[in-house]
Amino acid sequence: MTRSATAARPLGITVTHVLLIAFVILAIAPVLVVIMNSFKTTPGIFLSPFGLPDAETFSLKGYESVLKRGNFLVNYRNSILVTVGTTAAVVVLSTLAAWALTEYKVRIAPLLAGFFILGIMLPIRLGTVPILRTMISWGLIDTLTALILVYTAMQLPLAIALMMTYFRSVPGELKEAAKIDGAGELRTLGIALPLVRPGIAAVASITMLPVWNDLWFPLILAPSRENQTVTLGVQQFVGQFQNDYPALLAALTLGAVPLIVLFTVFSRQFINGLSAGYGK
Amino acid sequence: MNRTAARYRNLILFVLPALLVYTAFAVFPLVNSVGLSFFDSDGPTDVFVGAENYVHLFTNPATSGRFWNALGNSVEFFLIHLIVELPIGLLMAALLTSGVLRRSVGIYRTLLFIPATLSVVIVGFVWRLIISPLWGVVAFPLLGTEATALPTISLMSVWQYVGIPMVFLYTALLAIPNDVLEAARIDGAGGWTQFWRIKFPLIAPQFGLITILTFIWTFNGFDIVYALNGSAPGPNYSTDIFGTLFYRTFFGSSGQVADQDLGATIATVISRSSC
Amino acid sequence: MRSKLAPIAVLAVATLGLGLAGCSTGGGDDGDSVTISLGSWRTEDIAMWEDEIIPAFEASHDGIKVEYAPTDTNDYNAAIQSQVEGGTGPDLIMCRPFDVNRAWIGDGYFDSLADLDAVGKFSETALAAWTGDDGTPYCIPVASVLAGFYYNKAIFDEVGVDIPTTQDEFLDVLKTIKDDGKYAPLALGSADGWQLGYNVLYNIGPAYWKGEEGRLGLIDGSKKLTDPDFVAAFAAYDALKPYLPSGYESLTYDDMSQLFSLGQAAILPDGSWNINQVTSTGLDVGVFGAPAVDGKRYQQEMPDMAFGLNASSKQKEAATEFLEWLATPEFEQLYVNKLPGFFSMSSNTISYDNPLATEFAALKDGAELTPRLALDRLSAGTPPLDDEIWRIAQLMYNSDLSPEDATAELQAGLDSWYTPAG
């Protein structure tokens, strides 16, 4: 992806870097404050919130509490299972649905599409009690499966809408050629897939974020110790009257790391995905 | 005839899994909850009361006052969010694609996106600390003053999510074909002109998408207000938005008794209004 | 390389993992022992329950295992409501006091506890916060809390002031400390409305509205918030305004506690539950009660928490055993000493190890006791009086709202739905 550089005057380069660095500082400094304070004692946090831990204020007690009481490995496992499970489900289901909705031009197709897309605006939390009752009657209460089902339902509308735009840009000739060669429906889909790979990347990214960070449904649908997600596990350090600050910050830091790492490592694919799709 | 039937069948087959999950766990529960708004479940059995709950919502001064307050706040939250987030996201995207950067693009882009990956608890905690008159760097009590509380929270939300429009606009800018830009350059257009005359109009359609998404997320979202102020957001309900109003009404709080029917009514009105 | 198989493979793996993960549920039979779960909003007590109290119970009750499952207090009501309405929920539910709990009783969340021996250990007033309209007890009281003023003894010595006993003396002390300039007189902010009500207004107010006389008067309609006694209480609350630290509008309860425990403020209006926090930095801390009016002292004592039996619990027998244990000296002695600032409510004789807790409890001597003003019957409708007081109290500090206008607004709100119980 080369860009033809306009006659880049040194001033232009400097100004650009200065602005971007300013933005980066604004973006990252608060995160560093959290990480830094997670290594301090509570008085240390409040006496000098923006100072580095020194000999007096340095403490690993926060991390100790979290690892001892926080059940962290289990929480990580649960968050990963739920997030990956939901993402996989959303990707598969939305791909199939979007393919069909763009491919089969029959009267009810736009209706179905509209039905799904309406869901982008639906505040799913409002249906909590019926969801809970359903899960209980299916024996799924306090399981991660319940979470995956609810999150999938929550993310499908946007995913389907996105995938539909990608599928629309698959050239018709490609599909015609496949059909002439005698390909069945699934094969044709298989041929179109590589072209919508960017869409899949976009959907995956957009799904992962809110699912990992969600506080509400783990609380209602999977609250027991073995099933808690990271986000829920952090809440136990938020007390009725006092928070256990070092532990809270340690838990928040540990909870934030996976997503940050994930997005850093995969940001190129993510961007490639989105931009390749836009070109069409 | 065969072809059409086959199409129908294939459509249904492919769409069915998604349809089932979506209907069972999103649509049906919501319809069910909305149904609550037509009943009065205070007594031993549910009594069908028609539109009475809606009338109550809009005529009872206490409840309707809270309702309109929440509506106004939700609108204010959304507008501030949009007005600040879009230009900044655009600026970031423009800088990243200005062509003067080489390898550092990736680094900048990733770092700028990190706030979007954070949990709202972190965002609330750290920004509250930074602007605290006691521990932080701002003497004026931003969160405690009615007039500034909601805008402040809205800006915190912008800080967290600006990475998303930035990425959308960035990729849209990248997608502008090179030849168009080459032609402009040959015609003598400098950086500024290039941007405003060519790039901007081509990515303007994105603004619509971003606006709609922001609208939906901020209208439904309540995470950051809740994380900062709990379910009875002050001061004096100045940060009470639709989401917190619903939560507090439907579930009650330590001092307030729950009213599920009214909560369902509020929820229905919210979802109707965002259509 | 993403192929169509990859997502399906991932899904398969995920489902497999789920099958393993989703197997467990909370509570149930485990061989020959039964597990009961305790729902609570006290997340900060986890360590104490898991390390001390639960082992003590399990040691003397073979075959019962206990799981303490707290939820953040902001989410607690919502979580319990959703779970119980959905048919699950913890076996033992911690009960909020008065109106909120009455609503839960009315909705059938709890089983009656009238047959328990434990009930006999508590006075009627103790049980009142958790009794249904027909007098049936639904929760076994665990602890009550008191409201008072913590003070930093070193600062008092340095500035040269004594503990105030009247409102005038109180304001004098505050003024002296403020003029001295080194310390903030009051660690008090208005960002959190609840503590303005619970720890300040309901702390100094009872001396003006004469405790139960005023509170019960509101309930039966013989008194109004616009009466001179109540207005005087609100005025006394307002009189503290000049002594708040700068930027107080943004100061939360947490900030207040930190400010005090870091030695930067002299006096902290607070509840007895905070003893551990205020002494955590090694300060020499004392406590004094609300100023007396006309020589008479009043003390806020609030029944704070109790446990009730979930009507849909599957382990009722074991859960009931636990409830009985809650009334034993063994439990109470352990609880109040591991959590100083919480006081037992039963007829058992309990000794308190923590000197500050003992000092706090001593505030009850010679004072008339009364719970928080607005939680009993006055918060069952819309707008709930308690919430409104939080809001108005906040407004009084953040704006120029006068005590007269404040009480007028509150009474109007109450009148809009409340019919006095004759």
Side-chain angles (χ1 to χ4, degrees), chain A residues 129-199:
Chain A
V129 176
I131 289 177
L132 192 54
R133 292 215 186 102
T134 311
M135 292 303 172
I136 292 175
S137 60
W138 289 12
L140 285 175
I141 191 60
D142 199 25
T143 61
L144 299 179
T145 317
L147 287 179
I148 293 189
L149 288 171
V150 170
Y151 286 138
T152 305
M154 188 171 89
Q155 304 286 60
L156 270 177
L158 190 55
I160 291 182
L162 261 181
M163 288 307 293
M164 277 175 68
T165 59
Y166 282 93
F167 271 115
R168 281 208 191 97
S169 55
V170 171
E173 310 88 58
L174 201 62
K175 294 188 277 191
E176 283 305 314
K179 294 235 177 71
I180 290 176
D181 280 349
E185 300 311 317
L186 282 183
R187 279 281 294 282
T188 321
L189 171 59
I191 295 185
L193 265 186
L195 291 172
V196 295
R197 225 174 358 122

Side-chain angles (χ1 to χ4, degrees), chain B residues 14 41-43 56 60-63 66 128-129 131-135 139-146 226-232 234-237 247-260 262, chain C residues 72-79 81-82 85 96-97 99-100 103 107 109 191 198 245-252 254-256 258-259 262 264 375 379-384 386-388 390-391 394-395 398 416:
Chain B
F14 278 91
S41 51
D42 279 342
H56 177 88
N60 179 314
T63 44
R66 290 272 167 275
R128 162 171 263 157
L129 187 64
I131 63 175
S132 164
L134 203 53
W135 320 111
F140 180 81
L142 285 168
L143 281 179
T145 312
E146 260 187 71
Y226 184 70
L228 277 170
N229 283 337
S231 66
N236 201 20
Y237 292 105
Y247 185 89
R248 184 172 70 252
T249 312
F250 192 82
F251 290 115
S253 63
S254 60
Q256 178 169 336
V257 169
D259 186 343
Q260 293 194 12
L262 192 59
Chain C
D72 173 29
T73 189
N74 275 334
D75 298 326
Y76 180 70
N77 286 32
Q81 187 176 309
S82 304
E85 302 244 341
R96 299 268 195 205
D99 285 339
V100 173
D107 289 334
Y109 287 17
Y198 290 6
S246 70
Y248 62 86
E249 295 95 332
S250 279
L251 257 47
T252 62
D254 272 341
D255 293 332
M256 286 160 51
Q258 293 297 332
L259 190 61
L262 287 174
Q264 297 174 1
L375 284 171
S379 291
T382 310
D386 199 46
D387 274 14
E388 281 293 281
W390 299 5
R391 184 179 67 88
Q394 212 176 33
L395 268 179
N398 289 359
S416 73

Side-chain angles (χ1 to χ4, degrees), chain A:
Chain A
M1 222 170 346
T2 57
R3 297 223 56 75
S4 54
T6 53
R9 306 186 320 275
L11 183 59
I13 303 184
T14 319
V15 166
T16 309
H17 275 284
V18 161
L19 280 175
L20 281 173
I21 290 181
F23 279 130
V24 165
I25 292 180
L26 202 56
I28 299 298
V31 181
L32 293 178
V33 165
V34 171
I35 299 179
M36 192 174 65
N37 277 317
S38 70
F39 288 102
K40 286 193 200 159
T41 58
T42 310
I45 295 177
F46 286 95
L47 272 175
S48 74
F50 307 112
L52 287 169
D54 56 30
E56 241 183 61
T57 55
F58 177 80
S59 160
L60 287 176
K61 189 136 188 312
Y63 286 95
E64 272 174 43
S65 303
V66 169
L67 293 172
K68 173 174 166 203
R69 237 169 253 294
N71 212 16
F72 231 70
L73 289 179
V74 173
N75 291 352
Y76 260 128
R77 179 203 69 177
N78 294 335
S79 280
I80 290 178
L81 282 177
V82 170
T83 309
V84 168
T86 306
T87 309
V90 168
V91 162
V92 170
L93 264 48
S94 68
T95 305
L96 292 176
W99 158 260
L101 288 169
T102 50
E103 170 70 1
Y104 304 112
K105 309 206 182 339
V106 290
R107 265 205 312 266
I108 61 168
L111 284 176
L112 280 177
F115 181 59
F116 278 116
I117 295 184
L118 208 62
I120 298 181
M121 298 183 294
L122 291 183
I124 195 170
R125 230 171 257 187
L126 307 186
T128 298
V129 176
I131 289 177
L132 192 54
R133 292 215 186 102
T134 311
M135 292 303 172
I136 292 175
S137 60
W138 289 12
L140 285 175
I141 191 60
D142 199 25
T143 61
L144 299 179
T145 317
L147 287 179
I148 293 189
L149 288 171
V150 170
Y151 286 138
T152 305
M154 188 171 89
Q155 304 286 60
L156 270 177
L158 190 55
I160 291 182
L162 261 181
M163 288 307 293
M164 277 175 68
T165 59
Y166 282 93
F167 271 115
R168 281 208 191 97
S169 55
V170 171
E173 310 88 58
L174 201 62
K175 294 188 277 191
E176 283 305 314
K179 294 235 177 71
I180 290 176
D181 280 349
E185 300 311 317
L186 282 183
R187 279 281 294 282
T188 321
L189 171 59
I191 295 185
L193 265 186
L195 291 172
V196 295
R197 225 174 358 122
I200 295 182
V203 163
S205 325
I206 290 199
T207 305
M208 280 196 288
L209 274 179
V211 171
W212 180 276
N213 279 328
D214 185 47
L215 206 48
W216 174 246
F217 281 111
L219 181 63
I220 301 296
L221 297 176
S224 68
R225 293 297 291 270
E226 313 87 67
N227 289 327
Q228 281 186 0
T229 56
V230 166
T231 332
L232 189 57
V234 166
Q235 285 299 98
Q236 73 172 66
F237 298 108
V238 178
Q240 178 191 17
F241 294 123
Q242 311 118 340
N243 306 332
D244 181 353
Y245 282 106
L248 181 61
L249 294 179
L252 288 174
T253 307
L254 288 176
V257 162
L259 276 189
I260 294 182
V261 164
L262 199 69
F263 272 87
T264 309
V265 166
F266 288 110
S267 76
R268 184 126 62 79
Q269 278 83 318
F270 176 26
I271 300 295
N272 283 355
L274 277 183
S275 61
Y278 271 116
K280 313 215 169 140

